[in-house]
Amino acid sequence: MEGEDDNGFSEFYDTVETVLMGRRTYDWVMKQDLKKFPYKNKECCVFTRSSVENTENVKFVNDDVSNFVNKLKSHDGKNIWIVGGEEIVPFLYTEKFG
């Protein structure tokens, strides 16, 4: 995005309660030269096929994407943001649109 402001990102980010991403996106984020975890203070869930220990900031999920998202949506709360999602979005799209 162009400009010096955040172009509405902060306003959007304040509406998010849960951040979802796949393992490849998570690994990419963690390889960046970041001072702190970028999704701190949000529920951050990473879908993986591996058995990985949860961390202070991340819950690793080895569950069906559609079922997991439907469980999240059944609770009151703010928005769910899918970061990346090359392998996550197709599961949700197929579930909704067949």
Side-chain angles (χ1 to χ4, degrees):
M1 300 201 127
E2 294 181 22
E4 294 181 24
D5 296 327
D6 72 359
N7 295 303
F9 178 79
S10 295
E11 185 178 343
F12 160 76
Y13 194 67
D14 287 344
T15 72
V16 173
E17 179 174 352
T18 305
V19 176
L20 303 180
M21 68 182 77
R23 181 63 189 264
R24 286 193 294 174
T25 301
Y26 172 76
D27 288 344
W28 181 87
V29 167
M30 298 309 291
K31 289 179 184 173
Q32 305 311 300
D33 188 22
L34 305 171
K35 304 280 188 250
K36 63 179 182 172
F37 187 68
Y39 309 109
K40 201 160 185 72
N41 302 321
K42 303 287 182 189
E43 181 179 358
C44 183
C45 302
V46 175
F47 288 93
T48 181
R49 292 179 188 97
S50 304
S51 179
V52 181
E53 291 275 330
N54 294 339
T55 69
E56 175 185 347
N57 298 309
V58 176
K59 175 181 177 181
F60 290 94
V61 178
N62 188 346
D63 193 1
D64 177 77
V65 175
S66 296
N67 288 338
F68 188 83
V69 170
N70 285 331
K71 288 178 199 172
L72 286 176
K73 289 170 49 177
S74 71
H75 297 97
D76 289 336
K78 293 182 177 182
N79 291 320
I80 301 167
W81 180 27
I82 300 173
V83 177
E86 178 181 344
E87 292 189 30
I88 296 173
V89 171
F91 286 104
L92 299 173
Y93 183 82
T94 301
E95 172 79 16
K96 183 154 182 118
F97 300 107

